[in-house]
Amino acid sequence: MERKEFLKSLGAGAAFALVFPCTQGCTKGPEFETQPVPEGIDFTIDLSGTDGAALENPGDFILRNFVVIARNLEGNFVAASQVCSHQQTDGVTFVETQGGIFECSTHGSRFSQNGTPINNITQNPLKIFNTELNGDSLRVFE
Ligand code: FES
């Protein structure tokens, strides 16, 4: 059976789907789930438990409520949206390159610790959250 005949036998809708599979944009797929940027953030992390152990060393980070909470290379706590400002995937983590930055694994956007984009993937700043340490209690808030 010739290709044209095969497509004709499938009907117009199926043939269109086979020939033009990326009408909704090929960069999106199941691995690129999008999320809304977190709003109204105000929560506390108990550093005396497992979260504290996970944040013990410079460069460590945890993910909570779509927020990346990290101990930067100077030992201070910083927090940013896990949802990227480029295409709103939840691929942002903290990496130790360039003195400690936020980076999105989806397309490689990089942001300084104040949210400023530092490469050309996006010009949109990453949302940054405040942190406040009181004993073993770390508050993360807007
Ligand atoms: S969605 Fe993060 S770099 Fe594109």
Side-chain angles (χ1 to χ4, degrees):
M1 180 182 289
E2 293 288 323
R3 182 173 189 262
K4 188 175 174 183
E5 291 171 359
F6 172 71
L7 293 174
K8 193 174 179 181
S9 73
L10 292 176
F16 183 82
L18 285 171
V19 176
F20 303 104
C22 292
T23 56
Q24 301 302 312
C26 286
T27 59
K28 301 267 184 180
E31 69 276 29
F32 299 131
E33 293 289 324
T34 60
Q35 296 286 337
V37 173
E39 297 276 345
I41 289 297
D42 193 347
F43 61 87
T44 302
I45 292 172
D46 179 7
L47 297 176
S48 67
T50 54
D51 287 338
L55 288 167
E56 188 175 340
N57 300 306
D60 287 348
F61 72 89
I62 62 172
L63 306 174
R64 190 68 36 86
N65 304 326
F66 291 103
V67 175
V68 183
I69 303 110
R71 187 183 283 270
N72 70 14
L73 302 189
E74 291 75 39
N76 300 314
F77 291 104
V78 293
S81 170
Q82 184 187 340
V83 179
C84 185
S85 59
H86 177 225
Q87 291 185 357
Q88 289 71 52
T89 69
D90 60 356
V92 175
T93 60
F94 188 81
V95 295
E96 295 185 28
T97 44
Q98 297 184 263
I101 59 170
F102 293 102
E103 181 179 67
C104 180
S105 61
T106 307
H107 308 109
S109 286
R110 290 181 164 188
F111 307 90
S112 67
Q113 291 178 33
N114 69 9
T116 303
I118 54 177
N119 61 12
N120 291 323
I121 308 291
T122 181
Q123 300 304 308
N124 303 326
L126 184 67
K127 188 169 185 177
I128 299 297
F129 298 99
N130 300 302
T131 60
E132 184 179 87
L133 184 61
N134 293 306
D136 282 337
S137 180
L138 179 66
R139 182 181 174 212
V140 179
F141 60 103
E142 295 196 57

